[in-house]
Amino acid sequence: MSILRNRPAFGVLIFFAVAFSLGIYFTFAAVQGDYGLFRRAEINVEAQHLAEELAELEAEVARMQNLTRRLSDDFLDLDLLDEQARDVLGLIRADEIVVR
């Protein structure tokens, strides 16, 4: 009978094995899971890239709005109009020489 008393109970071993397994699982999920630390770092980097892209697009929109305003009826920039006519329509002045 003294031999049986020295061995730990089988249920206690199962309990600690299950508790250890759950601890490992939740630790792995906290680091590698869909909402884990690595995913959070990826989301932060992606958010930074998207913020940079948004800033670039906002600058492009501001530039386009400026060009549109400068070509409007209320405010006509003759230099811009001349540049656009040359680029888009291929126009030149009579006193200019075209070199190809």
Side-chain angles (χ1 to χ4, degrees):
M1 282 262 185
S2 65
I3 294 174
L4 292 177
R5 297 270 183 213
N6 290 339
R7 288 191 311 172
F10 189 64
V12 172
L13 288 175
I14 291 177
F15 172 77
F16 283 113
V18 168
F20 181 74
S21 298
L22 286 174
I24 294 294
Y25 171 76
F26 286 122
T27 301
F28 178 79
V31 174
Q32 295 280 344
D34 291 339
Y35 302 102
L37 295 175
F38 289 147
R39 180 67 180 138
R40 184 178 189 96
E42 289 174 356
I43 289 171
N44 288 339
V45 169
E46 184 178 353
Q48 182 180 6
H49 288 300
L50 290 174
E52 292 170 0
E53 184 179 347
L54 177 63
E56 291 173 6
L57 290 174
E58 286 175 343
E60 180 70 16
V61 166
R63 186 182 74 78
M64 291 294 205
Q65 286 175 342
N66 182 29
L67 289 175
T68 303
R69 185 181 62 80
R70 288 170 56 194
L71 288 174
S72 69
D73 292 337
D74 298 334
F75 181 92
L76 185 59
D77 186 356
L78 294 178
D79 290 333
L80 181 63
L81 182 62
D82 183 51
E83 177 187 335
Q84 291 297 319
R86 290 170 181 268
D87 287 344
V88 175
L89 301 175
L91 297 178
I92 59 171
R93 292 187 193 140
D95 61 343
E96 292 180 334
I97 300 172
V98 177
V99 178
R100 289 186 186 192

